[in-house]
Amino acid sequence: MEPGGAPPVATTEKARNRPGTPTGPGTPTGPGTPTEGDGPAAPTRRLTSPLALTLLLLLMVLLQSPLRRALAAPVMQAWTTVFVAVMIQALPFLVLGVLLSAAIAVYVPPSFFARALPRHPALAVPVAGLAGAVLPGCECASVPVAGALVRRGVTPAAALAFLLSAPAINPIVLTATAVAFPRNPEMVLARFVASLLVACAMGWLWHRLGRTDWMRPPAHGRHESQSKGEAFWDSTRHDVMHAGGFLVVGAMAAATLKAVAPEHWLRAAADNPVVAVLALAVLAVVLSICSEADAFVAASLTQFSLTARLAFLVVGPMIDLKLFAMQAGTFGRGFAFRFAPATFVLAIGGAVLTGAVFL
């Protein structure tokens, strides 16, 4: 190159493509040159699940002596006994219920309901409520199924009756209730009657007072773009992990109430019929236990009357924290803020009236 002359093109391109060479605006860049928007220069580190599990196991090994002493305490032994008993009894019913509800949500077309239900909304509500006993589903599945029914033209009153009845009166839930209350078989009939009455009452109430602008049109189904097999296993994995987590929380809460709460506190609440019913109804909302497993938690609360425990079993499958979130996400917050309180009040009233007759 001559002094003062322009550099050859090849040399310029080589310099531009050299890593670390700055480029100005409008200057062409080579394929290896980092550009804005390519991401961080250095890879970020995050705590992965295997690493977190390894650290947790290492911590437990280091603290095994204090942990052994803590678990040997009478309170912890009582807590562990109740927790393990509830989990072992409830898990088979939870898994079976999730498999069945996933199969129904995936393989039973929503158009089946539109053809099977009467055209008149007042007649469609009890038929849809009774369909919950034939085509069961847990809470996690009933909300998207109800949304699919509304999208396919089923009257909202009937879809809401199915949404409330399917998790509460299906054969798996009633069988689990019979197993949990072997000495009180009337609990099965009381749960069926109270839950069906509340589901139909809410359907009729929505048909009478509900307005179209209160319910947002449901979004497209989560599994409608997948194949049948993919949708089934995706739904099963999601519901087992989701419902299983709430079951663990519910079993821990029941064990804590039995082992830690002072006996005179529980007895004082249980001796007042009004307080007992309200306390267990609120507990059902907070714990958010899957309906296939809630009977075993209710059976462990032996301080409370059968009517109070019936309120726990009727309220839980119809309205709890996770259901409120799912209903708000499917039908809109305006719907959830109107539907949830009305369901809570009617569920308590239905449980008390049914308990007075059957229990």
Side-chain angles (χ1 to χ4, degrees), residues 64-257:
Q64 58 178 319
S65 297
L67 286 175
R68 190 182 298 113
R69 288 194 298 269
L71 292 175
V75 172
M76 286 304 302
Q77 289 183 346
W79 187 94
T80 305
T81 300
V82 175
F83 175 78
V84 172
V86 170
M87 291 295 297
I88 289 178
Q89 286 182 305
L91 270 177
F93 292 97
L94 185 146
V95 174
L96 181 59
V98 165
L99 288 172
L100 187 55
S101 66
I104 290 171
V106 172
Y107 293 105
V108 176
S111 58
F112 167 81
F113 296 93
R115 294 193 303 268
L117 293 175
R119 293 185 178 276
H120 197 284
L123 297 177
V125 165
V127 175
L130 285 171
V134 182
L135 299 172
C138 70
E139 299 94 319
C140 302
S142 64
V143 176
V145 169
L149 294 179
V150 174
R151 283 199 309 276
R152 298 297 178 92
V154 174
T155 177
L160 295 178
F162 179 84
L163 182 151
L164 295 178
S165 68
I169 66 172
N170 69 69
I172 296 174
V173 169
L174 296 180
T175 302
T177 306
V179 173
F181 292 90
R183 298 181 180 179
N184 304 104
E186 64 274 14
M187 282 290 288
V188 179
L189 180 60
R191 182 174 193 177
F192 176 86
V193 173
S195 300
L196 182 59
L197 285 177
V198 174
C200 292
M202 278 303 302
W204 285 323
L205 184 65
W206 185 266
H207 173 62
R208 182 71 177 175
L209 303 177
R211 287 165 37 184
T212 306
D213 59 331
W214 288 353
M215 178 183 284
R216 184 187 67 195
H220 196 273
R222 177 164 61 103
H223 300 303
E224 291 184 5
S225 61
Q226 299 176 321
S227 67
K228 297 288 187 181
E230 291 172 344
F232 175 81
W233 288 115
D234 182 53
S235 178
T236 301
R237 286 193 301 267
H238 173 271
D239 289 351
V240 165
M241 296 300 296
H242 189 75
F246 283 106
L247 171 60
V248 171
V249 173
M252 291 173 65
T256 303
L257 282 176

Side-chain angles (χ1 to χ4, degrees), residues 38-60:
D38 282 347
T44 58
R45 292 185 179 181
R46 60 180 180 177
L47 191 63
T48 60
S49 297
L51 179 59
L53 180 60
T54 303
L55 292 176
L56 178 61
L57 292 176
L58 181 60
L59 183 63
M60 293 178 67

